[in-house]
Amino acid sequence: MSPWDKDVGLYVHIPFCRRRCHFCAFYLEIAQPAPMARFHSALIQEIALHRRQESLDSRALQSIYFGGGTPTSLPADQLAALLTLIRATWPTDVTAEVTVEAHPSSVTARDLTVLADAGFNRISFGAESMTEKDFASIGRFGQVQDTAAAVQAARRAGFRNINLDLMYGLPGQSLQDWIHTLESLMTLAPSHISCYALTIEVGTRLAQDIAQNLVLPPDDMLQIDMESAAERFLAEAGFSRYEISNYAKPDYACRHNLLYWTGGEYLGLGPSAQSYLHGIRFGNVADLDAYVAYLSDNRLPTSDHTILSVSERQRDALVFGLRLLCGVPRTAIEAAERDHQIDELIAKGLLDADHYRVRLTSLGRRYADTVAEQLF
Ligand code: SF4
């Protein structure tokens, strides 16, 4: 088997939102008809160029993921047509996971029916919280009851695999508020939950507000309590924590994200999308005008290429694999020649090891970035 006979997935970055949430640092533009039309044409050209260059050889896609931004900023019929084009361009495994992210406060019941009928079989809603005051503190539009309505409409449309993205440690959010969010969402019976601790990204509105003492920064100890509460609560509700931020009902772990954590390969389309193919990491330009200009000129909109050496690939496999609760095989440690660092991390209580596997401890999960830095 060649090293590149691996599972492969496709990511499509739709870089539009109605407005920018205060914490969000993703590359995106405010949704307007003219830039969305230019993006749509350029994306079709990007697919054609990758097909011509045979970027994905003949492997069948195991996952397709439309993320953003808010993919459902584009008309649902357009998303459906894009999925049809992708499937006509590349072979797709019959069991492929096909995800679309959606905003609960703007997606309609008709949109959801069109998306399910087109073949999307997993939907991910950016719920964030079930407390109205949290929406105000992070600049998220909509109302908390929109999430329940969207999940019910998605189920009626035929979606069985439904994820809810949540955030904790929001400005002014208490432990009780967080538990209220978890309790409220359980009534919606999602199959997957992602819980992200709020982090403050440079250049965001929230970073500015904190710098001007208008908002308090996240409280580390409270975030730790919230993480522990989520782990306990979700375990009792039948979810397994399989990655630092991700919990799933049996058989509902996100296959697309597992590609990232297990050294699988992926092609990214759209501005700022990242790819990893044939041992090369490359990224698209994070600018819509530049993206459109490259593609109008019949050139792929890539801005950087990094060819990973064998040892860099082994190190990446270790760093990403340790995000999984099951950890990595001991052989991965030996291959990456990180035995010394691993011994130090075990001594600090950040890693745990047996004869077969090495994994993060609960303390290590809180300091996963520190662990990753030590392994680089
Ligand atoms: S909806 Fe999502 S992608 Fe859009 S601004 Fe808010 S957090 Fe960012």
Side-chain angles (χ1 to χ4, degrees):
M1 176 169 142
S2 130
W4 313 124
D5 284 344
K6 295 179 171 179
D7 283 351
V8 67
L10 185 78
Y11 175 77
V12 185
H13 187 74
I14 314 279
F16 298 101
C17 285
R18 185 184 290 190
R19 71 183 197 207
R20 185 181 282 280
C21 301
H22 295 176
F23 60 86
C24 181
F26 290 137
Y27 171 69
L28 58 90
E29 304 278 337
I30 300 305
Q32 300 281 355
M36 289 197 297
R38 289 166 61 230
F39 163 75
H40 180 243
S41 303
L43 179 59
I44 289 171
Q45 174 67 352
E46 190 181 15
I47 292 169
L49 285 180
H50 277 295
R51 180 184 52 205
R52 217 171 297 154
Q53 298 193 5
E54 299 185 1
S55 306
L56 282 180
D57 45 63
S58 57
R59 284 175 289 173
L61 294 172
Q62 298 297 316
S63 67
I64 301 171
Y65 194 108
F66 281 44
T70 304
T72 49
S73 299
L74 294 187
D77 300 290
Q78 212 168 67
L79 294 171
L82 283 169
L83 180 58
T84 302
L85 174 64
I86 286 166
R87 290 184 134 151
T89 303
W90 291 294
T92 305
D93 195 273
V94 284
T95 66
E97 176 189 88
V98 186
T99 303
V100 60
E101 292 180 351
H103 197 299
S105 302
S106 58
V107 75
T108 67
R110 180 190 176 274
D111 292 340
L112 293 163
T113 301
V114 170
L115 295 169
D117 290 351
F120 287 96
N121 55 29
R122 181 173 186 272
I123 191 153
S124 176
F125 289 115
E128 317 306 358
S129 168
M130 288 301 276
T131 306
E132 211 78 61
K133 73 178 170 60
D134 291 339
F135 281 13
S137 78
I138 58 175
R140 182 200 184 282
F141 75 89
Q143 298 180 312
V144 293
Q145 60 265 34
D146 298 338
T147 299
V151 169
Q152 284 153 6
R155 201 159 273 128
R156 279 196 300 275
F159 284 100
R160 295 287 165 267
N161 192 351
I162 299 175
N163 172 58
L164 300 173
D165 276 351
L166 307 179
M167 297 195 73
Y168 60 92
L170 304 176
Q173 186 186 36
S174 67
L175 183 59
Q176 285 314 313
D177 292 336
W178 173 233
I179 290 170
H180 167 74
T181 285
L182 293 167
E183 285 172 346
S184 305
L185 293 176
M186 284 309 103
T187 60
L188 306 179
S191 51
H192 191 283
I193 300 254
S194 299
C195 299
Y196 299 108
L198 176 69
T199 54
I200 306 303
E201 304 289 339
V202 177
T204 58
R205 158 88 184 266
L206 203 49
Q208 287 169 15
D209 287 350
I210 289 171
Q212 293 172 12
N213 294 320
L214 298 173
V215 174
L216 288 173
D219 175 337
D220 289 350
M221 295 313 294
L222 179 57
Q223 283 193 332
I224 288 170
D225 288 345
M226 289 174 162
E227 181 205 333
S228 302
E231 185 168 34
R232 274 196 311 274
F233 184 93
L234 292 171
E236 281 168 20
F239 289 83
S240 293
R241 188 181 192 181
Y242 67 100
E243 193 267 348
I244 291 174
S245 308
N246 286 285
Y247 301 78
K249 286 281 177 81
D251 299 325
Y252 283 100
C254 176
R255 289 174 64 186
H256 188 79
N257 285 341
L258 282 168
L259 275 182
Y260 298 147
W261 301 315
T262 57
E265 299 205 323
Y266 45 92
L267 174 64
L269 306 176
S272 81
Q274 301 297 306
S275 302
Y276 177 54
L277 283 176
H278 308 296
I280 303 172
R281 290 197 188 286
F282 54 97
N284 280 356
V285 287
D287 179 278
L288 181 60
D289 290 339
Y291 173 79
V292 170
Y294 268 101
L295 288 158
S296 308
D297 204 19
N298 266 329
R299 288 185 298 148
L300 285 174
T302 50
S303 58
D304 55 74
H305 286 78
T306 308
I307 301 173
L308 299 185
S309 66
V310 171
S311 73
E312 286 170 328
R313 290 203 301 269
Q314 289 164 338
R315 178 205 60 201
D316 281 8
L318 192 57
V319 170
F320 290 117
L322 278 173
R323 293 189 62 87
L324 295 168
L325 273 275
C326 63
V328 296
R330 260 194 177 271
T331 47
I333 308 289
E334 287 147 21
E337 297 178 354
R338 294 292 192 277
D339 304 64
H340 178 62
Q341 291 94 323
I342 296 290
D343 288 344
E344 278 185 9
L345 290 163
I346 290 173
K348 288 177 183 167
L350 296 167
L351 288 181
D352 196 12
D354 58 27
H355 285 307
Y356 307 104
R357 298 191 77 83
V358 177
R359 53 184 73 79
L360 291 168
T361 59
S362 59
L363 183 66
R365 288 198 286 276
R366 280 173 205 150
Y367 297 100
D369 291 343
T370 309
V371 172
E373 275 165 27
Q374 280 198 237
L375 291 171
F376 267 95

